[in-house]
Amino acid sequence: MATTIGAEGRVDLGEHGIDAGGRVHLHPSTSQLYTQTLRRQEGVLAEGGPLVVDTGRHTGRSPNDKFLVREPESESRIWWGKVNQELDEARFDGLRDKVTTFLEGQELYVVDSFAGADPKHRLSVRLITHSPWHALFAKTLFIEPTEEELAEFEPQALILHAPPVEADPAEDGTRSSTFVVLHPSRAEILIGGTFYAGEIKKSIFTLMNDRLPLEGVLPMHCSANVGDADDVAVFFGLSGTGKTTLSADPARHLIGDDEHGWSDQGVFNIEGGCYAKAIRLSAEAEPEIYKTTQTFGTVLENVMVDEGGVLDLDDDSKTENTRSAYKLEQIANALPTKRAGHPSNVIFLTADAFGILPPIARLSREQAMFYFLSGFTAKLAGTEIGVTEPQPTFSACFGAPFLPQPPAVYAHMLGERLDRDDATVWLVNTGWTGGPFGEGERMPIAATRAQLHAALSGQLADAMFRTDEVFGLEVPVEVPGVESSLLDPRSTWRDPEAYDRKARELARMFRDNFEQFAAEAGPDVTAAGPRV
């Protein structure tokens, strides 16, 4: 249902109307949102710097509380099941009534913005919330319209955001009091029972993952950057695998850190900001991102701060999933247009908690499809509720929680683009080496950066490769600036036979997981997996 804002700041939501009586802040400024947040004591303003907020009991996404409305226009294309739980339209309308009833009595903030830097494939988004810091978050993470665009702004998608509103599972058909519900054809999103701001951005990404394929565009859970020679690289990976860190390379221009589309014209950012993990950030290891945690305009979630406004980025007493939300332009080498050409390199990032996969490997086209559909990584502590230590997981297309349609839809589109643009695909392990989690060590970030530099610069094009006996991956024998022993994971383990046993175990996990995709993927792609 389309929404409009009247002449006197009145929000009209049709039959579910909210009459804000002129109290709505239309397109509030950053300074105004800071002031309002402080007045309502929802955050702490560090001296001359960022806004620090506490998200309460929810310090990560709630994937088990996410629902899609089953309705005639979209139900045939939705990947129903654990990822996309269904909610009927009557219950959606009931929850919507609860949300709008709550909002009627509040001072409201309205943020109009875009998702998608390519005007041909962008979505105009309106967020309505009573929380000023969530309005600031949306203003930061989405793309701000110009004054001219605001004057003619017509929302195509609506987020009704009411964290204090809780669902009644018996009445509303939810799992708990928390709900994040998307109505695909109406492009409406309801969020309640959680103050975690990441639900705002990921709900729109889910909507874009449904809309963009209908326009012939591949949506990607990836970061992206481009070199001075216009060589574009995209980095697929789940939260915590290094998308933000590795794409913020001072030697390259940042297109975006998390969500992109790949159209016939090239790659474009879906967002206008970044949402980086802040835990243990340092000026030495990640200087560009670290700077954002010290500046005005940044929203820090669940970061510890003392009464004097001094931040402690190493403090994980609240959660490992501390976050920094900042405008893309705060990164010195960010690309203003947020758009570039077709990728010449595609990187799959995996945080392998087993310590088995090599730090870098080159994939064939069939292997690329196998590992894309597998989406292997480890969920890191705090990213989702209940995850307290790394857990091995398979997430199709490196972003299953955000896929409304079946994974094969996105995999087919990726395969077409790899064939068309002749991109080289790399698998990069940012996880563990020398043993599994608890025994080994996290892969040195300096080594990962050196390997990526060698791959993106073309230094590995003529390198000597060995074939991994279990996984069949092409692994470079030498990489400039990287110890050769690190390139052979087996040699980093104290007990090589223990490595062999764990490698066979992981290979079987890959094979067992891929059975669900084998029929659609075909025999060549299925055979490209580990050799069990």
Side-chain angles (χ1 to χ4, degrees):
M1 183 181 299
T3 65
T4 60
I5 295 183
E8 297 182 354
R10 297 161 66 90
V11 177
D12 180 11
L13 296 177
E15 62 185 82
H16 302 283
I18 297 174
D19 183 351
R23 292 177 296 157
V24 173
H25 294 258
L26 299 181
H27 324 303
S29 69
T30 298
S31 296
Q32 178 186 19
L33 291 170
Y34 267 68
T35 301
Q36 293 295 318
T37 300
L38 291 171
R39 179 174 64 79
R40 293 162 75 163
Q41 297 181 337
E42 291 176 341
V44 177
L45 184 63
E47 184 68 27
L51 183 70
V52 183
V53 298
D54 189 322
T55 65
R57 64 189 179 94
H58 289 287
T59 59
R61 291 184 296 103
S62 303
N64 294 328
D65 296 307
K66 171 188 169 186
F67 298 86
L68 265 68
V69 177
R70 183 182 283 273
E71 42 89 23
E73 187 174 330
S74 64
E75 64 178 337
S76 62
R77 69 173 182 265
I78 301 299
W79 181 34
W80 298 109
K82 183 179 180 181
V83 170
N84 298 302
Q85 303 173 93
E86 66 177 270
L87 196 73
D88 62 54
E89 287 197 282
R91 280 178 158 151
F92 173 83
D93 288 337
L95 276 173
R96 197 180 192 279
D97 283 341
K98 289 184 177 182
V99 169
T100 55
T101 297
F102 168 80
L103 292 175
E104 282 176 354
Q106 306 297 318
E107 185 176 41
L108 299 177
Y109 299 85
V110 178
V111 178
D112 286 345
S113 56
F114 294 117
D118 185 345
K120 294 181 180 178
H121 303 291
R122 73 184 183 188
L123 188 71
S124 55
V125 178
R126 173 164 293 165
L127 170 80
I128 299 178
T129 182
H130 82 297
S131 169
W133 81 260
H134 286 96
L136 176 60
F137 177 88
K139 190 178 181 69
T140 300
L141 264 294
F142 298 130
I143 298 172
E144 287 196 72
T146 63
E147 289 298 321
E148 294 76 13
E149 289 170 332
L150 276 176
E152 300 178 353
F153 193 90
E154 294 184 5
Q156 298 168 302
L158 172 68
I159 306 172
L160 294 176
H161 181 258
V165 175
E166 296 189 346
D168 179 346
E171 176 185 344
D172 299 313
T174 57
R175 185 191 67 92
S176 72
S177 59
T178 301
F179 58 94
V180 180
V181 188
L182 165 64
H183 192 301
S185 62
R186 283 162 56 174
E188 289 190 358
I189 294 159
L190 309 177
I191 299 176
T194 173
F195 286 83
Y196 182 66
E199 300 287 12
I200 295 173
K201 78 180 226 95
K202 287 305 185 187
S203 62
I204 288 297
F205 184 46
T206 300
L207 179 58
M208 291 293 276
N209 272 315
D210 185 40
R211 294 295 180 90
L212 289 179
L214 304 179
E215 301 174 12
V217 177
L218 170 63
M220 303 179 292
H221 188 215
C222 72
S223 59
N225 62 25
V226 57
D228 290 334
D230 294 328
D231 55 309
V232 175
V234 297
F235 302 76
F236 284 92
L238 290 183
S239 175
T241 55
K243 295 193 310 300
T244 300
T245 297
L246 296 172
S247 58
D249 183 342
R252 297 171 66 83
H253 303 285
L254 180 65
I255 304 170
D257 84 320
D258 194 42
E259 303 171 3
H260 292 81
W262 188 349
S263 71
D264 289 341
Q265 286 70 48
V267 170
F268 63 88
N269 195 348
I270 289 176
E271 299 182 298
C274 301
Y275 192 43
K277 293 197 74 170
I279 194 68
R280 289 179 284 279
L281 275 175
S282 71
E284 294 74 30
E286 297 160 297
E288 291 289 330
I289 302 172
Y290 177 82
K291 287 178 186 177
T292 71
T293 66
Q294 312 297 311
T295 58
F296 181 86
T298 294
V299 179
L300 296 179
E301 284 185 329
N302 301 314
V303 171
M304 294 296 104
V305 58
D306 65 21
E307 293 181 357
V310 178
L311 303 172
D312 185 353
L313 298 178
D314 295 330
D315 190 334
D316 62 359
S317 58
K318 171 73 175 181
T319 177
E320 279 272 339
N321 193 37
T322 57
R323 291 280 177 167
S324 175
Y326 51 92
K327 276 293 183 186
L328 187 71
E329 288 74 16
Q330 287 183 245
I331 300 296
N333 62 334
L335 194 66
T337 60
K338 304 176 181 65
R339 301 166 60 187
H342 297 290
S344 51
N345 286 280
V346 174
I347 296 96
F348 296 160
L349 299 173
T350 175
D352 174 21
F354 286 96
I356 295 298
L357 295 177
I360 189 168
R362 186 173 61 190
L363 306 185
S364 68
R365 197 266 191 193
E366 290 73 22
Q367 287 174 328
M369 300 302 291
F370 181 93
Y371 284 95
F372 184 65
L373 281 167
S374 298
F376 172 72
T377 188
K379 289 180 181 177
L380 300 186
T383 303
E384 293 182 5
I385 294 172
V387 179
T388 58
E389 64 181 35
Q391 297 177 358
T393 187
F394 292 91
S395 184
C397 309
F398 295 95
F402 321 118
L403 303 183
Q405 298 183 36
V409 171
Y410 309 96
H412 177 70
M413 296 183 77
L414 176 66
E416 289 181 336
R417 281 150 181 75
L418 293 178
D419 291 341
R420 181 190 66 191
D421 299 313
D422 196 28
T424 302
V425 184
W426 305 89
L427 180 68
V428 173
N429 176 19
T430 61
W432 279 258
T433 183
F437 170 76
E439 297 179 19
E441 298 179 351
R442 194 73 191 259
M443 195 72 67
I445 190 170
T448 300
R449 284 184 168 141
Q451 292 167 128
L452 284 171
H453 174 75
L456 301 186
S457 66
Q459 287 181 305
L460 297 184
D462 298 320
M464 182 180 297
F465 288 79
R466 68 174 179 84
T467 301
D468 184 276
E469 293 183 1
V470 176
F471 291 88
L473 303 171
E474 288 190 332
V475 183
V477 176
E478 293 184 352
V479 175
V482 179
E483 292 184 17
S484 297
S485 59
L486 194 66
L487 297 169
D488 181 7
R490 189 175 188 269
S491 70
T492 67
W493 282 50
R494 291 190 297 270
D495 182 353
E497 292 185 359
Y499 171 89
D500 293 339
R501 290 192 297 272
K502 188 63 72 172
R504 290 192 293 269
E505 177 185 340
L506 180 58
R508 285 192 293 271
M509 290 176 63
F510 268 100
R511 283 296 184 187
D512 291 344
N513 174 75
F514 201 78
E515 288 181 1
Q516 62 185 307
F517 306 120
E520 287 213 55
D524 291 342
V525 172
T526 302
R531 302 165 180 176
V532 182

